[in-house]
């Protein structure tokens, strides 16, 4: 019996250590206000209190403290067989509200029996073993009633756990059987006490209370941990966590695919992310734009960064959430095209021209490079519509824009100014280069016939050109007006020609050489 005493002391001390370690673990997360953590903290705290108080009484040889041990043991029995069954039924759930209310009434049974149990156990005759420990091994009638009650309600929980149900959250076999073990242990302890008085002597319920508490907390926190892990592991966004030395300490499947695609490795370091960003990431930021190229196509991402701290609020690493927004950018580009482009020709529309000219005008004083504008108008376009139809006229407009863009520079912008009138703005082009550009476009349009569904159509344009070479202030709207005047001059001089002027010569009242 003495060896058994030492074994129980070791078991109880080990239980207190495990409960204390888990209590500290859950306290670290308590600031997150997660309901499962609050329940775990309450269960562990109460289990530690009961286990420690029973162990303290058990270690005393004075039988005067035996009534305290008996009272604690009775309270422990009630705690085991109400709280654990309650936890089990809550985790299982039920769609029958009336049945749940009935179960709440059943929880009152051990509480109603508690006063009678305490009175009868505390007035029982005490027996002593050879080591001088006092104990009571006879179960009173109320104890038998409670044992049967615990056994039946535990069987009820077992039934609702193992029954097949698509709505049951306990479809995982491991968690299901662990929960069953936690719920069944208190009832088994009572059954064992009926079978053999040794279990009464050992204070089995109070000294091993940490076992079912440990299991239930593991199940509760297991759900929480599993849910968070699955949410991070299988979400579409990239999740990566780096420590102080730049080593990746956590990454999800999307993160592994991301870094494998752009860095050639699925175990990245912070240096790989630095290479992608073009700079070292520091501190926390949100919605940082990142454009990467893969297999010749651009992909767009946004980065959110957050600092990671340890338990005493010291910086210990960086975490990143990377979201792909390529589809969003494509949709925004489509909307931008609808707002700024002419739907027929693809040239920029008049609305975009106004904002573009306003921006040039605001920055006119800081202009350092030359500029040229040219106005194009299709000669006798009404005759094309009258003779070939408006559909052929539309085809002519589209082909004209195609020929213009084929002979323009990439930075030049083509606007549809009116019905058959177009404007080209060329920044960084001086007077001589601008004239060559205007004549090249004029020749590209008029040198070949336009092929339409109604046949081949000869098309010519008249072009008005204006340039500015000097630095400093200029009036962009006046330049467009001068180009338009030169266009009408080309029309009056016989069409199918280019007329040029200089912004500076215009204000100096000098003819263009």
């Amino acid at each position: 019996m003495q060896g058994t005493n030492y074994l129980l002391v070791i078991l109880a001390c080990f239980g207190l250590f495990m409960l204390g370690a888990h209590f500290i673990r859950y306290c670290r997360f308590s600031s997150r206000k997660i309901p499962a953590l609050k329940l775990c903290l309450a269960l562990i705290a109460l289990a530690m209190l009961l286990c420690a108080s029973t162990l303290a009484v058990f270690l005393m040889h004075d039988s005067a403290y035996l009534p305290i041990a008996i009272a604690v043991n009775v309270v422990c029995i009630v705690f085991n067989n109400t709280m654990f069954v309650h936890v089990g039924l809550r985790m299982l759930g039920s769609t029958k509200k009336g049945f749940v209310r009935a179960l709440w009434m059943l929880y009152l049974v051990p509480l109603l029996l508690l006063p009678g149990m305490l009175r009868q156990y505390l007035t029982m005759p005490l027996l002593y073993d050879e080591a001088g420990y006092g104990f009571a091994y006879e179960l009173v009638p109320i104890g038998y009633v409670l044992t049967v009650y615990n056994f039946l309600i535990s069987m009820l929980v077992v039934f609702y756990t193992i029954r097949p149900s698509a709505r049951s959250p306990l479809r995982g076999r491991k968690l299901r059987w662990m929960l069953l073990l936690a719920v069944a242990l208190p009832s088994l302890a009572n059954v064992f006490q009926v079978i053999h008085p040794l279990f009464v002597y050992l204070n089995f319920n109070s000294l091993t209370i940490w076992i079912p508490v440990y299991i239930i907390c593991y199940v509760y926190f297991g759900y929480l941990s599993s849910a968070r892990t699955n949410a991070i592991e299988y979400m579409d966004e990239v999740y990566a966590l780096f420590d102080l030395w730049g080593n990746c300490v956590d990454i999800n499947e999307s993160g592994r695919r991301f870094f494998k695609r752009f860095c050639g490795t699925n175990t990245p370091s912070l240096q790989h992310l630095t290479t992608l960003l073009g700079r070292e990431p520091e501190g926390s930021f949100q919605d940082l734009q990142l454009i990467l190229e893969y297999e010749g196509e651009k992909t767009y991402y946004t980065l959110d960064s957050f600092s990671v701290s340890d338990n005493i609020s010291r910086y210990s690493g960086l975490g990143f959430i990377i979201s792909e927004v390529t589809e969003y950018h494509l949709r925004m580009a489509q909307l931008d095209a609808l707002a700024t482009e002419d739907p027929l020709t693809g040239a920029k529309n008049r609305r975009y021209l106004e904002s573009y000219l306003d921006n040039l005008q605001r920055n006119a004083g800081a202009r350092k490079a030359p500029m040229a504008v040219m106005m194009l108008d299709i000669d006798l376009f009404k005759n094309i519509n009258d003779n070939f139809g408006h559909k052929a006229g539309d085809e002519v407009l589209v082909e004209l824009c195609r020929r213009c863009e084929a002979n323009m520079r990439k930075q030049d912008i083509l606007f549809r100014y009116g019905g058959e009138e177009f404007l080209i703005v060329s920044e960084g082009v001086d007077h001589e280069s601008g004239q060559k550009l205007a004549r090249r476009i004029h020749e590209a349009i008029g040198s070949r016939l336009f092929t339409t569904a109604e046949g081949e159509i000869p098309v010519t344009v008249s072009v008005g050109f204006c340039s500015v070479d000097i630095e400093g202030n200029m009036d962009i709207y006046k330049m467009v007006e001068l180009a338009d005047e030169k266009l009408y001059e080309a029309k009056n001089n016989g069409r199918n020609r280019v007329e040029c002027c200089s912004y500076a010569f215009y204000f100096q009242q000098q003819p263009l050489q």
Side-chain angles (χ1 to χ4, degrees):
M1 189 68 71
Q2 192 68 26
T4 305
N5 293 338
Y6 288 122
L7 180 61
L8 286 173
V9 170
I10 295 174
L11 181 64
C13 291
F14 177 73
L16 284 172
F17 171 78
M18 294 296 294
L19 289 174
H22 271 66
F23 191 80
I24 295 173
R25 177 191 179 193
Y26 294 134
C27 281
R28 292 176 179 176
F29 294 95
S30 60
S31 60
R32 300 184 182 180
K33 299 181 179 179
I34 302 171
L37 293 178
K38 293 182 179 179
L39 177 61
C40 290
L41 288 171
L43 284 174
I44 293 175
L46 187 52
M48 290 176 65
L49 176 63
L50 293 175
C51 190
S53 59
T54 304
L55 179 62
V57 174
F58 185 79
L59 293 175
M60 297 179 183
H61 289 252
D62 191 347
S63 61
Y65 293 97
L66 185 58
I68 299 177
I70 293 175
V72 171
N73 191 44
V74 171
V75 173
C76 188
I77 292 172
V78 175
F79 169 75
N80 275 356
N81 296 279
T82 53
M83 181 60 72
F84 294 158
V85 173
H86 170 68
V87 169
L89 289 175
R90 283 196 60 186
M91 292 195 70
L92 296 177
S94 177
T95 58
K96 301 177 181 179
K97 296 182 179 179
F99 179 71
V100 173
R101 295 193 189 98
L103 289 180
W104 275 103
M105 295 299 294
L106 290 175
Y107 294 149
L108 297 177
V109 173
L111 297 178
L112 295 175
L113 297 177
L114 180 59
M117 291 179 62
L118 288 174
R119 183 174 63 256
Q120 293 191 33
Y121 273 109
L122 293 177
T123 58
M124 288 177 60
L126 302 181
L127 300 178
Y128 296 90
D129 64 4
E130 61 275 8
Y133 291 95
F135 65 97
Y137 69 90
E138 292 183 1
L139 287 177
V140 296
I142 295 180
Y144 285 106
V145 173
L146 184 61
T147 299
V148 174
Y149 162 81
N150 293 333
F151 183 78
L152 291 178
I153 200 169
S154 296
M155 291 302 101
L156 185 66
V157 174
V158 170
F159 171 74
Y160 274 93
T161 305
I162 63 176
R163 66 169 183 163
S165 174
R167 292 189 296 268
S168 174
L170 291 174
R171 280 173 280 182
R173 180 175 300 177
K174 180 180 178 181
L175 291 182
R176 179 190 302 149
W177 290 109
M178 288 186 66
L179 182 60
L180 284 176
L181 178 62
V183 174
L185 273 177
S187 295
L188 292 176
N190 287 345
V191 173
F192 291 155
Q193 289 181 145
V194 174
I195 295 174
H196 200 285
L198 175 63
F199 292 98
V200 179
Y201 172 80
L202 296 179
N203 275 330
F204 186 81
N205 276 354
S206 53
L207 289 179
T208 58
I209 191 175
W210 62 272
I211 299 176
V213 167
Y214 183 92
I215 293 174
I216 288 179
C217 291
Y218 176 85
V219 171
Y220 262 90
F221 200 72
Y223 274 113
L224 177 67
S225 178
S226 176
R228 287 176 177 242
T229 300
N230 290 337
I232 291 175
E233 183 64 23
Y234 297 110
M235 67 181 185
D236 294 331
E237 291 79 6
V238 173
Y239 163 77
L241 186 64
F242 300 90
D243 62 15
L244 283 171
W245 298 271
N247 300 315
C248 184
V249 295
D250 192 13
I251 188 171
N252 63 356
E253 182 61 30
S254 297
R256 287 186 283 270
R257 290 196 301 267
F258 174 85
F259 284 102
K260 184 67 176 179
R261 173 184 296 179
F262 296 109
C263 301
T265 177
N266 53 12
T267 55
S269 65
L270 193 58
Q271 184 60 40
H272 289 101
L273 190 58
T274 301
T275 303
L276 294 178
L277 290 175
R279 62 179 180 86
E280 185 174 352
E282 296 180 354
S284 301
F285 51 79
Q286 290 184 338
D287 295 333
L288 179 66
Q289 301 298 314
L290 178 62
I291 304 176
L292 301 174
E293 189 168 328
Y294 179 70
E295 295 182 350
E297 296 184 359
K298 287 184 177 180
T299 52
Y300 297 83
Y301 295 89
T302 58
L303 273 73
D304 293 332
S305 171
F306 55 92
S307 298
V308 181
S309 302
D310 58 16
N311 296 324
I312 53 177
S313 301
R314 293 183 302 185
Y315 171 75
S316 57
L318 273 178
F320 296 91
I321 302 293
I322 306 175
S323 306
E324 184 175 356
V325 290
T326 303
E327 184 176 354
Y328 169 79
H329 273 267
L330 292 177
R331 290 183 178 180
M332 292 301 296
Q334 292 174 354
L335 292 175
D336 182 68
L338 291 174
T340 62
E341 292 182 3
D342 176 57
L344 175 64
T345 63
K348 297 297 182 182
N349 59 22
R350 188 69 176 263
R351 180 185 303 170
Y352 181 74
L353 173 63
E354 293 175 357
S355 62
Y356 179 76
L357 293 181
D358 286 342
N359 185 58
L360 286 179
Q361 188 65 35
R362 283 194 298 269
N363 299 320
R367 184 182 58 81
K368 300 295 182 181
M371 178 183 295
V373 296
M374 61 191 78
M375 191 80 74
L376 294 79
D377 185 78
I378 300 177
D379 298 327
L380 303 175
F381 183 69
K382 184 177 182 300
N383 293 342
I384 296 176
N385 284 330
D386 293 342
N387 297 330
F388 297 94
H390 288 280
K391 184 176 181 181
D394 290 344
E395 293 180 39
V396 168
L397 293 174
V398 172
E399 176 63 16
L400 181 138
C401 290
R402 190 193 66 79
R403 294 188 186 186
C404 287
E405 291 173 347
N407 289 275
M408 291 161 45
R409 304 175 308 162
K410 289 184 178 180
Q411 58 267 42
D412 297 338
I413 304 178
L414 174 66
F415 300 91
R416 188 175 181 182
Y417 195 76
E420 68 274 13
E421 198 170 8
F422 295 86
L423 176 70
I424 298 176
V425 179
S426 299
E427 296 187 64
V429 173
D430 58 20
H431 185 78
E432 183 177 354
S433 299
Q435 286 190 89
K436 291 180 180 180
L437 175 62
R439 298 187 190 282
R440 185 169 66 248
I441 292 175
H442 173 264
E443 183 179 356
I445 294 172
S447 61
R448 291 182 291 114
L449 297 176
F450 281 52
T451 302
T452 69
E454 302 299 326
E456 294 185 333
I457 303 175
V459 178
T460 61
V461 293
S462 299
V463 182
F465 173 86
C466 180
S467 67
V468 59
D469 293 340
I470 61 173
E471 297 181 2
N473 292 322
M474 59 95 183
D475 190 336
I476 184 63
Y477 294 102
K478 189 62 180 178
M479 287 187 66
V480 174
E481 182 182 335
L482 290 175
D484 194 43
E485 290 180 3
K486 287 299 176 180
L487 169 63
Y488 280 97
E489 185 177 324
K491 293 279 190 182
N492 294 331
N493 290 338
R495 301 186 182 89
N496 191 22
R497 57 188 294 123
V498 179
E499 295 290 345
C500 304
C501 75
S502 169
Y503 181 85
F505 290 160
Y506 174 85
F507 283 101
Q508 294 173 9
Q509 300 295 318
Q510 294 183 5
L512 180 63
Q513 300 296 326

